[in-house]
Every structure is written in C-alpha cells, then in structure tokens.
C-alpha cells in the first residue's frame, strides 16, 4: 500500500493509459459524512476534448411584448437591422361629429421598455410605412425573425429624435394627414355596416416601423400593450369654447412581430442559414457566437466521451463542470449576459429540451467575472448528473451533445449576444473539468 502523503503522480497513467488526454492535477472534494475512506485520491482532469460550434435556430418574434426597431453595428457580424410590424384593430367606440368636429392629427405612440444596444448619443431616424399585405401567422401560429410583408415605399411618417431608452420617454410619430383623414372617412362611411370591422382591417392592414440605417446607430425595444403602444386621434370642436377630443386606437398585439436581418453576407457567421448546419470553432478562429435576434446558439459535443468509460472501472466521476470562457478581447464585462441555459441536442441539431437541476428547474449557468485581468471570467455549468448518466450507456452516442442559449425572454426581442472561446485555442479556452475519485487497488 502506498502512503497517501507520499503518493506520486506516476500512478495516474495506470488508469488513463487508454485515454488520449494526459494532464491532470490533485484536488480535494468534500465527501458525504457516511463515506467509508479507503486508499483513494482525487484528480482533476481538464483536457477532455470538447468541440464547440455555432448553430442557428428559428426565432419566434410574436408574443414577445417587445417591438424592436433600429440598427446596430456588431463588432463581428457587421450591420444588423430590426423592424417591427403592427396590424390595426378596428376602433370599437369611434365617434365623429361631421358638422362640428375638426381633425388635428393622428399620432403613433411608442414607449421604450429600457432595452437598447448601440450608440444612443446619436439621433435616430424612424419611418412608418403602410402595409400592402395582410399579416398572417405561420402554420405553427407564430411569426419569426425572417418573416416579412410588403409595404409601400413612401413612408406615412418620419421622425428624428434622440433616444432615451432608460428614461422611457415616449416616441410620438405624426402620421400623414391624408392617411389619417382616409381612416376617418372610412369609419364614418361604414359605421352602420354589419361587417365594418372586417372591412376596416382589410382596407387598413397596418404598418411597419423601420429606421434609416445611414443615420440610426442604436436599436431600441418598445412595450407592446394597449397602454404603451397605440394610435391617438386628436381633434376639437369649436362652439362657445374650444373642446379638445382624444380617441385611442389599439394595435393588434397578436400579430405584432419583429423582422431581424443582417447586412454583411460575406462574413462566415452571417452565412449560417441551414438549421442542420454547424459552424465549427476551427473555421471561425476558435470562436463561437450567441445572438438572440438571429437565433445563434452554441453546440457542445464530446467526441472522446467513450474513452471515459475506462474510468468507471477504476473509480467514479464525482463532479463534472463545463466552463465557457467569453472572448474578453471583444466582450466587455458589463455586456455579458447574466444567465445562459443548456439542453440536449441530437445529430441534425434537433433540440430535445433543457437540462434540469435537482429541483426539476432548468439548469442555468453561474457567471464568474474577473474585472481586473479578465482571464478568469467564465460561465460554469454543473454537468455531474449529465456526464454520469452518459456513462451508463453501453456505447456512448457521440451524435448527442448539448446546446447553450440565451434566455427565452431575450430571444426575438433583443440583439443580445456573446462571443466565446472554443476548446481549440490555447488561451482561456472553454473546457470540461472532471473531478475523478480514484480507487487504489494495489
């Protein structure tokens, strides 16, 4: 029996001889109070090969309660544009005194929800275009980031303003008077028609709000609700004294969605359109990307997982930790997403669902930030249960991997992103750490 205090690391290759990774180091673990101590020791194996790739998935952009508008110059992916679509609800309680009432204006009102990305110190220039095509949901009942509908080239409103997303100052855009008066005339003409609502929605299909990408340098999100996004009709009557009148038209939140696109197709990340494809880290300088608006996710594969089966005859994996290191040469600490999610994925990027913790909640990351040197900034996932469950497979299916994504609440309603280092680079690379408890049978 070898004295544990004097045990040397020449013993370790005895149980790693068939595994083609080599480096490890001693470690300590807190074991259960009922554990019977024998001649054992722990090792940290940090060179298990993992493969990271960037994949793309469809992003649902309806029912997010966020209207995303603007332009962002991404440091890696280039120009990205967001425009939002609304259809109109037929006004339910519209009234108009054709003899006394005078039209003033019809205004589109949008209230920021606080989210923005890009340079808000520069004025934004928004445009409203009338739709010529009715917004219809896809067969699955949703619309996504790549959907679009036809609209008139000439805008019915333009507005230049300084964005103040955190102050949530309303953006008011006066619509073209001819367009507004047309709505009033239509409602008066068909006010007694049994199908007036259907006729209105066929005639006034809604509008898209976009920006001038030569001027705008930020994207902002706006609340979608009856109290935060609406049309307001201003009018007045003059009798003995002037009486001002306001009427509010609601927007249809069911069909509101965001179209999000990228400009620079010569960039490799922007060429990723096939949901079954993988853009491996080796083809993108060892880097992978998350992006909420375009649906970019990480895929993590374990090509050498079968080699770990040899360990099961010599001991037990007591902890498995996946560390994803952001590329801090590009990212800023304050811009890092606070939480990432992880789940199962199969051969053709078929997503099976999220991993869960002991309480059956979705498994999330823990973010560690090194604000001084940035070398120890990383997201960690506890994969102990996952790895040990894979060890129970007679032959491990290496077509099964993991995907990492941003929270669902950010998908389709923001341009949040994160660049991470793959496993193949030498500095601050992402890795799988295995804490192994080895039984010494000598």
């Amino acid at each position: 029996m070898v004295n544990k205090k004097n045990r040397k690391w020449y013993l370790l290759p005895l149980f790693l001889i068939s595994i083609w990774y080599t480096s490890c180091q001693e470690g300590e673990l807190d074991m259960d109070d009922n554990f019977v101590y024998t001649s054992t020791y722990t090792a940290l194996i940090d060179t298990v090969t993992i493969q990271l790739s960037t994949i793309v998935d469809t992003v649902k952009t309806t029912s997010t309660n966020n209207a995303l508008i603007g332009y962002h110059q991404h440091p890696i992916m280039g120009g990205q544009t967001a425009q939002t679509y609304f259809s109109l609800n037929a006004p339910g309680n519209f009234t108009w005194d054709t003899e006394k009432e005078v039209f003033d204006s019809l205004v589109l009102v949008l209230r920021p929800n606080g989210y923005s990305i890009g340079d808000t110190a520069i004025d934004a220039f928004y445009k409203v275009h009338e739709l010529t095509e009715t917004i219809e949901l896809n067969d699955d009942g949703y619309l996504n980031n790549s959907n679009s509908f036809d609209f008139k080239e000439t805008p019915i409103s333009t507005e230049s303003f300084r964005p103040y997303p955190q102050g949530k100052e309303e953006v008011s855009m006066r619509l073209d008077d001819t367009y507004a008066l047309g709505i009033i005339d239509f409602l008066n003409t068909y006010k007694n028609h049994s199908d007036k609502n259907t006729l209105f929605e066929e005639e006034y299909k809604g509008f898209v709000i976009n920006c001038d990408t030569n001027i705008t340098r930020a994207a902002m999100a706006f609340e979608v609700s009856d109290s935060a996004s609406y049309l307001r009709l201003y009018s007045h009557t003059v009798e003995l004294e002037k009486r001002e009148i306001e009427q509010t038209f609601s927007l249809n939140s069911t069909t509101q969605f965001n179209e999000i696109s990228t400009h620079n197709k010569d960039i490799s990340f922007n060429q990723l359109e096939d949901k079954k494809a993988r853009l491996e880290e080796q083809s993108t300088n060892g880097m992978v990307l998350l992006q909420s608006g375009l649906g970019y996710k990480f895929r993590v594969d374990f090509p050498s997982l079968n080699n770990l089966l040899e360990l099961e005859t010599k001991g037990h994996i007591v902890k498995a930790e996946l560390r994803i290191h952001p590329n801090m040469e590009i990212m800023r600490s304050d811009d890092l997403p606070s939480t990432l999610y992880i789940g199962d994925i199969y051969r053709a990027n078929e997503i099976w669902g999220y991993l869960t913790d002991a309480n059956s909640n979705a498994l999330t990351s823990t973010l560690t930030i090194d604000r001084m040197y940035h070398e120890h900034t990383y997201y960690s996932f506890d994969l102990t249960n996952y790895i040990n469950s894979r060890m129970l497979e007679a032959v491990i299916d290496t077509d099964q991997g993991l995907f990492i994504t941003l929270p669902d609440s950010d998908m389709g309603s923001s341009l949040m992103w994160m660049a991470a280092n793959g496993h193949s680079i030498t500095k601050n690379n992402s890795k799988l750490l295995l804490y192994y408890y080895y039984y010494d049978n000598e």
Side-chain angles (χ1 to χ4, degrees):
M1 182 67 67
V2 180
N3 186 295
K4 286 193 289 183
K5 293 183 178 179
N6 298 318
R7 181 179 288 107
K8 303 296 185 182
W9 278 105
Y10 62 78
L11 291 175
L12 190 57
L14 294 177
F15 70 94
L16 294 181
I17 189 69
S18 65
I19 302 175
W20 51 275
Y21 47 84
T22 56
S23 72
C24 52
Q25 64 187 55
E26 293 186 1
E28 295 182 357
L29 292 174
D30 292 330
M31 306 305 294
D32 188 89
D33 292 337
N34 297 323
F35 182 78
V36 178
Y37 286 90
T38 60
S39 297
T40 59
Y41 65 93
T42 59
L44 169 59
I45 307 169
D46 63 359
T47 52
V48 179
T49 298
I50 63 174
Q51 172 69 47
L52 268 64
S53 307
T54 304
I55 62 173
V56 66
D57 194 14
T58 301
V59 180
K60 182 184 73 174
T61 61
T62 44
S63 304
T64 65
N65 297 320
N66 289 284
L68 190 65
I69 309 167
Y71 174 85
H72 174 234
Q73 183 65 31
H74 193 283
I76 300 171
M77 302 174 70
Q80 297 178 341
T81 301
Q83 55 186 15
T84 197
Y85 292 74
F86 284 99
S87 56
L88 298 181
N89 289 326
N93 299 309
F94 175 76
T95 61
W96 189 266
D97 188 333
T98 56
E99 295 183 358
K100 298 179 181 179
E101 198 162 352
V102 179
F103 167 78
D104 290 326
S105 64
L106 179 64
V107 176
L108 169 65
V109 178
L110 298 173
R111 181 188 301 161
N113 69 2
Y115 171 80
S116 68
I117 186 170
D119 190 353
T120 56
I122 297 174
D123 284 358
F125 190 88
Y126 283 8
K127 302 178 291 180
V128 181
H129 296 263
E130 184 182 2
L131 293 180
T132 58
E133 185 179 7
T134 300
I135 298 176
E136 295 182 352
L137 300 178
N138 296 327
D139 291 340
D140 60 2
Y142 300 102
L143 291 164
N144 59 56
N145 60 301
S146 61
N147 285 123
S148 63
F149 294 88
D150 293 337
F151 55 86
K152 294 181 179 179
E153 183 176 353
T154 302
I156 57 174
S157 179
T158 60
E159 185 70 27
S160 179
F161 65 98
R162 181 62 54 88
Y164 292 106
Q166 297 301 324
K168 299 189 177 182
E169 295 184 14
E170 291 182 345
V171 175
S172 297
M173 303 182 67
R174 178 169 178 161
L175 304 186
D176 180 75
D177 287 353
T178 301
Y179 174 81
L181 290 169
I183 289 180
I184 295 171
D185 289 342
F186 186 94
L187 293 172
N188 282 327
T189 300
Y190 291 94
K191 62 182 177 181
N192 296 320
H193 199 288
S194 59
D195 292 331
K196 62 180 179 181
N197 291 347
T198 301
L199 293 172
F200 176 85
E201 291 168 10
E202 289 176 351
E203 180 70 18
Y204 295 95
K205 296 175 173 59
F207 40 77
V208 59
I209 311 165
N210 53 30
C211 73
D212 187 328
T213 58
N214 294 315
I215 299 173
T216 309
R217 284 295 173 266
M220 293 173 57
F222 300 85
E223 296 180 43
V224 177
S225 68
D226 289 347
S227 61
S229 47
Y230 51 85
L231 292 179
R232 178 156 289 171
L233 176 62
Y234 294 92
S235 60
H236 69 273
T237 60
V238 179
E239 299 175 82
L240 296 177
E241 59 182 25
K242 183 178 180 179
R243 181 171 67 92
E244 295 184 347
I245 302 171
E246 294 182 6
Q247 297 188 69
T248 299
F249 301 168
S250 64
L251 306 177
N252 190 336
S253 60
T254 304
T255 55
Q256 180 274 326
F257 78 100
N258 303 315
E259 180 188 357
I260 303 169
S261 58
T262 185
H263 294 203
N264 305 91
K265 290 297 184 180
D266 57 325
I267 297 173
S268 57
F269 285 108
N270 294 336
Q271 298 168 11
L272 187 60
E273 296 178 349
D274 184 355
K275 292 174 60 177
K276 298 180 180 180
R278 308 179 198 179
L279 191 60
E280 296 183 346
E281 58 179 89
Q282 290 84 354
S283 63
T284 51
N285 296 319
M287 184 168 56
V288 289
L289 278 180
L290 293 179
Q291 214 273 3
S292 59
L294 297 169
Y296 286 20
K297 295 176 169 62
F298 299 157
R299 177 172 175 135
V300 185
D301 289 289
F302 305 94
S304 63
L305 207 56
N306 271 299
N307 294 337
L308 297 179
L309 292 174
E310 178 69 17
L311 297 180
E312 292 297 289
T313 65
K314 304 294 184 180
H316 185 64
I317 295 171
V318 291
K319 184 179 180 182
E321 179 188 0
L322 176 65
R323 290 188 179 180
I324 301 296
H325 283 258
N327 187 326
M328 298 310 294
E329 294 181 0
I330 300 173
M331 303 295 302
R332 298 187 310 168
S333 295
D334 291 341
D335 293 334
L336 293 174
S338 60
T339 304
L340 304 179
Y341 287 75
I342 192 166
D344 279 307
I345 196 168
Y346 200 54
R347 182 181 290 113
N349 296 335
E350 179 186 353
I351 291 176
W352 288 353
Y354 291 120
L355 298 185
T356 56
D357 59 21
N359 297 317
S360 298
N361 297 316
L363 184 64
T364 59
S365 62
T366 299
L367 174 59
T368 300
I369 295 181
D370 174 7
R371 294 192 179 276
M372 182 171 292
Y373 301 109
H374 306 300
E375 294 182 359
H376 301 291
T377 293
Y378 59 87
Y379 295 87
S380 62
F381 292 93
D382 185 349
L383 296 187
T384 308
N385 291 337
Y386 173 81
I387 295 295
N388 279 324
S389 68
R390 298 298 306 275
M391 293 297 100
L392 298 177
E393 300 173 18
V395 177
I396 296 175
D397 187 352
T398 54
D399 284 329
Q400 181 181 347
L402 296 172
F403 73 93
I404 295 174
T405 184
L406 294 161
D408 285 344
S409 58
D410 293 311
M411 304 302 288
S413 61
S414 76
L415 297 180
M416 183 179 292
W417 67 284
M418 196 265 281
N421 297 325
H423 180 73
S424 58
I425 65 173
T426 57
K427 183 180 179 181
N428 298 329
N429 62 331
S430 297
K431 63 190 68 175
L432 178 66
L433 305 178
L434 297 180
Y435 296 83
Y436 181 76
Y437 211 77
Y438 170 58
Y439 307 124
D440 189 349
N441 295 319
E442 295 185 11

